[in-house]
């Protein structure tokens, strides 16, 4: 997917989120985000939109020293869905006015403005799923989006220790974990070393992994984000169970 597609998908995912929560009781607990209600979740997503939009406007070249931004929150919680829609509209305006290929600081691999659009997309998508699960709905995730989301997650996770400190413990003596799609193309090999971990390119000569998780792209994405348990019937687990447990226990985003 390219940055323009990511931007369009942010708008579509936000519209789905807004449609989900507009008529809902915003005090409903969100089991996949313990301690949060639908109102908290909605405010979080809109806050992310507005914060990332501010970073893009400023096109920062080094880590920000403050996260303060004027959120312009509604006076009453029942205004949160409309406020979220406005947050997404503001983000779309910023995307359109920004050279998304311009160099820019980012906490992940891609040091360009487009990083933030892609990150906003999957922040929104996963929380849209959270909202639907909280209301007993069955979320649908487009397969193309899911594949892109898996790649985005695994590419950037090695750089997330500043806000996901347990990832710093994802170490092992040269072990590998494979995540493989059962519903089409999509295969990722993660190598764990004594000094860290990262995606490993092995498409020319795929190698046997020490542990493998097989499932649909959508289910693998939700697994990586901790929304599905690896022991669910959605997955086929192969190889070293202790290595998979180590990954699960330390890869929380």
């Amino acid at each position: 997917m390219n940055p323009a597609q990511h931007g369009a998908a942010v708008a579509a995912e936000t519209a789905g989120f807004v449609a989900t929560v507009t008529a809902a009781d915003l005090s409903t607990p969100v089991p996949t985000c313990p301690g949060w209600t639908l109102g908290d979740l909605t405010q979080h997503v809109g806050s992310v939109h507005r914060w990332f939009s501010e970073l893009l406007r400023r096109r920062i070249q080094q880590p920000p020293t403050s996260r303060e931004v004027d959120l312009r929150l509604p006076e009453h919680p029942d205004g949160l869905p409309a406020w979220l829609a406005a947050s997404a509209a503001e983000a779309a305006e910023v995307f359109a006015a920004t050279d998304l290929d311009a160099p820019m600081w980012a906490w992940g691999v891609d040091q360009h403005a487009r990083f933030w659009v892609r990150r906003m997309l999957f922040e929104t998508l996963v929380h849209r799923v959270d909202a639907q699960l909280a209301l007993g709905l069955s979320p649908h995730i487009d397969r193309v989006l899911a594949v892109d989301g898996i790649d985005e997650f695994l590419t950037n996770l090695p750089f997330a220790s500043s806000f996901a400190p347990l990832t710093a413990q994802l170490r092992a003596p040269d072990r590998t974990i494979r995540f493989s799609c059962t519903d089409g193309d999509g295969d990722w090999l993660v190598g764990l070393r004594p000094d860290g971990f990262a995606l490993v390119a092995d498409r020319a000569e795929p190698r046997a992994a020490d542990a493998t998780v097989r499932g649909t792209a959508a289910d693998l994405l939700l697994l990586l984000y901790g929304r599905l348990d690896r022991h669910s019937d959605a997955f086929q687990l192969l190889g070293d169970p202790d290595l998979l447990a180590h990954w699960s226990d330390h890869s929380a985003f």
Side-chain angles (χ1 to χ4, degrees):
M1 296 180 66
N2 60 45
Q5 291 172 312
H6 289 147
V10 169
E13 287 296 326
T14 307
F17 191 118
V18 171
T20 297
V21 300
T22 293
D25 178 355
L26 294 181
S27 68
T28 301
V30 181
T32 49
C33 298
W36 281 13
T37 64
L38 282 179
D40 296 326
L41 189 69
T42 304
Q43 181 172 326
H44 170 76
V45 174
S47 299
V48 167
H49 285 197
R50 290 173 187 262
W51 170 234
F52 286 8
S53 295
E54 181 62 21
L55 296 180
L56 285 164
R57 283 193 195 93
R58 291 159 47 193
R59 200 177 302 171
I60 61 172
Q61 300 300 320
Q62 57 188 4
T65 57
S66 170
R67 290 181 62 100
E68 290 187 9
V69 62
D70 183 5
L71 296 177
R72 301 188 296 281
L73 287 165
E75 292 185 8
H76 303 288
D78 58 7
L80 283 170
W83 171 83
L84 173 57
S87 301
E90 180 177 318
E93 291 177 0
V94 174
F95 298 164
T98 302
D99 176 4
L100 298 179
D101 292 326
M104 180 176 169
W105 176 84
W107 61 260
V109 174
D110 187 2
Q111 297 287 297
H112 295 84
R114 59 186 179 243
F115 169 91
W116 295 101
V117 184
R118 195 183 188 199
R119 182 85 291 278
M120 189 187 296
L121 167 57
F122 294 108
E123 184 82 9
T124 306
L125 184 155
V126 171
H127 287 317
R128 184 265 296 172
V129 169
D130 288 330
Q132 292 176 331
L133 291 173
L135 294 170
L137 304 175
S138 297
H140 170 75
I141 301 175
D142 178 83
R143 186 180 185 280
V144 172
L145 281 181
V147 169
D148 194 59
I150 295 167
D151 186 76
E152 194 265 353
F153 183 93
L154 292 175
T155 296
N156 291 313
L157 190 65
F159 303 89
S161 61
S162 63
F163 55 87
L166 290 179
T167 59
Q169 299 177 41
L170 280 172
R171 308 282 188 268
D174 299 317
R175 307 279 280 168
T176 55
I177 302 173
R178 185 180 297 283
F179 298 93
S180 184
C181 291
T182 57
D183 58 344
D185 293 340
D187 191 270
W188 299 264
L189 185 69
V190 178
L192 281 74
R193 310 176 307 274
D195 62 343
F197 71 101
L199 279 174
V200 177
D202 75 331
R203 294 183 181 182
E205 296 182 12
R207 69 192 75 174
D210 295 297
T212 296
V213 182
R214 303 184 75 244
T216 68
D219 286 342
L220 288 174
L221 180 66
L222 295 181
L223 172 74
L224 291 171
Y225 275 95
R227 270 56 179 187
L228 282 178
D229 190 287
R230 69 185 184 279
H231 296 297
S232 161
D233 291 340
F235 304 109
Q236 180 183 11
L237 308 180
L238 305 169
D240 186 347
D242 292 336
L243 183 58
L244 290 177
H246 179 60
W247 173 271
S248 179
D249 291 343
H250 298 88
S251 60
F253 197 95

